[in-house]
Amino acid sequence: MPFRYFYSIVLGLAFFNSSAFGFQKQENPPTAEQAENWTRIIKEKDTPDSVKTQLYLQLINFYESSEEYENMARQAIDFFHYPTFLDSSNWVKKSFLEKALSYRNQIEDSLLLGNLELKIAGAWFNLQEFDSAISHYTRALEHLDENDSLYIADTYFFRGQAEDYQGNMLEAMQDYQIARDIYESQGDEDFANYTKGGMAILFSKYGIYEPAQGIREELVEFYKTREIEGDLGVQLYNMAETYRKMGEETLQLQKLKELEALIPFEPEDFYLEAMTYFSFSRHYGEKNELQSQREYFQKGEEVKDKVPQNWNENGAYLITKGLLEIKSGNLVEGKAIAQRLLDLSASKENMDHRIGALELLEEAYEKSGQTDEALNALRQLTSYKDSIFEANQATSFAYYQTLYETEKKEREILRKNLELEDLQTETRFRIQVFLGVILVLIVGGIIFFLSLNLKNTRKAKKLQEEFSQELLKIQEEERKRISKDLHDGLGQSLLLIKNKVALNQPENAGEMLDTAISELRSIARSLHPMQLEKLGLAQALIHLLDQIDSETDIFVSHEIEPLSKTLDKNVELQLYRIAQESINNILKHSEAKAMRVLLEQRENHIELSIEDNGKGFDFSEKYQDFHSLGLKTLKERTGSIKGTMKVNSEKGKGTKLSFLIYG
């Protein structure tokens, strides 16, 4: 339509009470002061919409007559963002913008020109004239420069949406990807995520479900972390719808329940709340759970009235309502809704709603006994699904082929860069090698001889340790064998002699043999403690100390804890031998009047402590004395079970031996 037509419409609107706002139709041209007054009135909240529209028009005309074309363009852009009361507002806004753009040669600000093209494209988009929208988005990019990054990103994002509605999947995806990259480079997380959401919708539309759901999972985690309920709810709703298309009913219900848990939304979103309930109703209807289907539909009905829109043109709502009518037996009403939805989907070219309408018709006709009509609806549905499947297959193939070619080019560029880096690295390396070869040879020789010497030392030490451990093991095995032979062989023989002598009753013979048997058993115990195998380490030590206490004049005390965990038999044996040898050293050398033994289990180690009040000794002298094998044996035994030994002794002040066993 001509601009003058809309101009006359706007001039005729809302002149009632216009003088209250300081303006009226005048014969003389308006002044700059009046223009400032109009701008002030527009910004006031109480100004009626009709008055604001008239003021915008007068401002645009004022700046045109004053040849202030950049201000004229800014007013046209402001008016585009303003929600007017006119049904034909998009045509009016587009006309205002095009009138401003007609003076493009007088506008020097390239960003302003780009913004004008961007808004005209938006007006065409709102009018669903997507070819014209794409054309103006492309022109906007020609005016914007590298400093206008966010405007450029917006342009690619909106052009991607137009390409999507136009059915150009690959072009739309490329625009989305460029917009996303720019937003991310500028740190604009919100719009980067909006773009990702658009990409997910595009993937899902063409049956490329895995990338779509992958993007949404990423967005869901982001919005959960930031606690942004509105955007989180939108992503959960879209995920549930995609799972429905995929036939994944369990996953669909899971996402719907996550979405329901967010109600009431913050900030308030009655449209999303209503659509959530309708999705539940459709899910339960498809599963023939009529009670739940009705309950959720009723919830949606109660909320939808809070949303100012024509629900009779909402495809998702009509599918849900039609399905409920059919499941409830109201087949005539169900068929009427399905037919209305079929007509609506044809005019809006919505393939999901067309499929839903045909599915409803097929089910309604079948339940009505109209088999021919049901078969016809089923044929249409099958044919339409097949055509969509073929189109989606071709689009998906083209997408993945493009993706492959893009990745192939990126890999080739990466390979060339790596080759260049390798060449540079090789050159630097040769220079470094040439300059450092002598130093490397010298250092390498020193390191070689040091490492060889260290290796030989370690090998010798390891052989010594293995020899010591093997020697101790052999000694124990030999002691065990001798102990068994003495106990089971000689001990039994002496017992028989005692019994025979007892029959003839010679004087003192029995007592003498008792003494011999006791000595024999004492030797057997010292060679291999039978109590250790029968009672465990703690009880064997207590038994040993009780025996020493009863047979010697030394005062013996102990604090021995039962061990809460089972030790390796070798560890128990070595600890017992360590205690035994330490006590023997006290009895033989210390001249002590008392001794004390402690066995404690800590969090990560066991501590054995043996202390006396004897004459003590100088540790360094004693350990270096070749003839003093006692301390060396104790150290070897402790090392064999990966423990540490500590000696604290002074002449005249007694001795304390501590053994820490880890593991």
Side-chain angles (χ1 to χ4, degrees), residues 15 178 504:
F15 269 96
I178 293 172
N504 295 325

Side-chain angles (χ1 to χ4, degrees), residues 382-610:
T382 303
S383 175
Y384 188 63
K385 281 185 174 180
D386 288 344
S387 66
I388 291 175
F389 176 78
E390 291 175 2
N392 284 357
Q393 286 289 93
T395 305
S396 299
F397 177 77
Y399 165 73
Y400 283 113
Q401 185 179 31
T402 302
L403 186 64
Y404 170 76
E405 292 296 332
T406 302
E407 291 179 349
K408 183 178 179 182
K409 291 178 181 177
E410 290 176 351
R411 287 195 299 269
E412 182 65 21
I413 293 171
L414 179 60
R415 187 181 66 81
K416 294 294 185 182
N417 289 335
L418 289 175
E419 288 179 356
L420 180 60
E421 290 179 4
D422 289 342
L423 183 60
Q424 293 173 344
T425 302
E426 185 179 355
T427 302
R428 289 195 299 269
F429 177 73
R430 287 178 178 176
I431 295 172
Q432 291 171 356
V433 168
F434 177 75
L435 294 176
V437 65
I438 298 176
L439 179 61
V440 169
L441 288 174
I442 294 172
V443 173
I446 295 172
I447 292 174
F448 173 79
F449 286 113
L450 288 176
S451 62
L452 184 61
N453 184 49
L454 180 61
K455 183 178 180 181
N456 291 334
T457 303
R458 286 178 176 173
K459 184 175 181 181
K461 183 178 179 181
K462 184 177 180 181
L463 289 173
Q464 177 63 31
E465 289 176 353
E466 291 176 352
F467 172 78
S468 299
Q469 292 176 14
E470 190 65 22
L471 180 60
L472 291 172
K473 183 177 179 182
I474 292 172
Q475 287 176 347
E476 288 301 330
E477 289 178 353
E478 185 64 17
R479 287 183 175 186
K480 185 175 181 181
R481 185 187 64 77
I482 295 172
S483 172
K484 190 173 185 304
D485 289 346
L486 288 173
H487 187 274
D488 297 341
L490 182 57
Q492 293 297 326
S493 298
L494 289 173
L495 185 59
L496 290 173
I497 293 170
K498 175 189 172 185
N499 292 336
K500 288 182 180 181
V501 172
L503 293 175
N504 295 325
Q505 297 181 348
E507 288 186 9
N508 299 327
E511 294 178 3
M512 292 172 61
L513 286 171
D514 283 340
T515 302
I517 292 170
S518 296
E519 290 178 351
L520 173 62
R521 287 177 174 167
S522 177
I523 293 170
R525 279 195 299 271
S526 64
L527 286 172
H528 185 76
M530 294 299 175
Q531 293 83 1
L532 184 63
E533 292 186 355
K534 295 178 181 178
L535 306 176
L537 177 62
Q539 290 299 320
L541 287 177
I542 292 171
H543 184 272
L544 174 64
L545 293 171
D546 288 343
Q547 183 182 6
I548 293 170
D549 190 38
S550 64
E551 294 177 358
T552 66
D553 295 330
I554 294 180
F555 177 76
V556 179
S557 64
H558 62 77
E559 292 181 18
I560 297 176
E561 297 179 357
L563 302 180
S564 60
K565 65 178 182 179
T566 304
L567 295 178
D568 183 83
K569 291 296 183 182
N570 182 53
V571 174
E572 280 196 345
L573 178 60
Q574 295 303 333
L575 279 171
Y576 182 88
R577 289 302 186 198
I578 288 169
Q580 194 177 44
E581 290 180 24
S582 301
I583 293 169
N584 286 338
N585 287 337
I586 293 172
L587 297 176
K588 292 179 182 179
H589 308 297
S590 70
E591 299 177 4
K593 301 298 183 182
M595 70 174 174
R596 184 166 175 259
V597 178
L598 285 83
L599 180 66
E600 297 176 297
Q601 183 167 340
R602 304 291 176 83
E603 184 175 344
N604 62 346
H605 70 275
I606 295 172
E607 181 175 358
L608 173 63
S609 178
I610 302 166

Side-chain angles (χ1 to χ4, degrees), residues 343-360:
D343 297 339
L344 188 66
S345 66
S347 64
K348 292 191 175 182
E349 298 183 358
N350 191 308
M351 55 188 177
D352 289 335
H353 294 166
R354 183 175 181 82
I355 290 172
L358 290 171
E359 288 175 342
L360 290 176

Side-chain angles (χ1 to χ4, degrees), residues 110-111 143-153 182 186:
S110 61
L111 175 59
H143 292 291
L144 299 171
D145 60 34
E146 60 183 12
N147 296 321
D148 307 321
S149 298
L150 292 179
Y151 284 98
I152 292 173
I182 296 174
Q186 296 297 313

Side-chain angles (χ1 to χ4, degrees), residues 590 612-618 649-655:
S590 70
D612 67 75
N613 62 353
K615 62 183 181 180
F617 60 89
D618 187 304
S649 181
E650 290 183 35
K651 290 184 178 181
K653 294 186 179 181
T655 303

Side-chain angles (χ1 to χ4, degrees), residues 139-206:
R139 291 179 193 171
L141 290 172
E142 295 172 359
H143 292 291
L144 299 171
D145 60 34
E146 60 183 12
N147 296 321
D148 307 321
S149 298
L150 292 179
Y151 284 98
I152 292 173
D154 289 345
T155 306
Y156 277 113
F157 177 51
F158 296 137
R159 192 175 73 174
Q161 290 182 319
E163 295 282 10
D164 179 8
Y165 282 104
Q166 191 70 5
N168 303 327
M169 187 266 193
L170 295 178
E171 291 81 356
M173 185 55 60
Q174 289 172 355
D175 282 351
Y176 279 149
Q177 289 172 338
I178 293 172
R180 177 202 60 196
D181 293 342
I182 296 174
Y183 285 134
E184 288 180 344
S185 68
Q186 296 297 313
D188 193 332
E189 287 185 328
D190 291 337
F191 273 91
N193 288 333
Y194 294 150
T195 308
K196 291 176 184 176
M199 294 168 67
I201 292 172
L202 185 63
F203 279 131
S204 181
K205 177 180 177 180
Y206 289 95

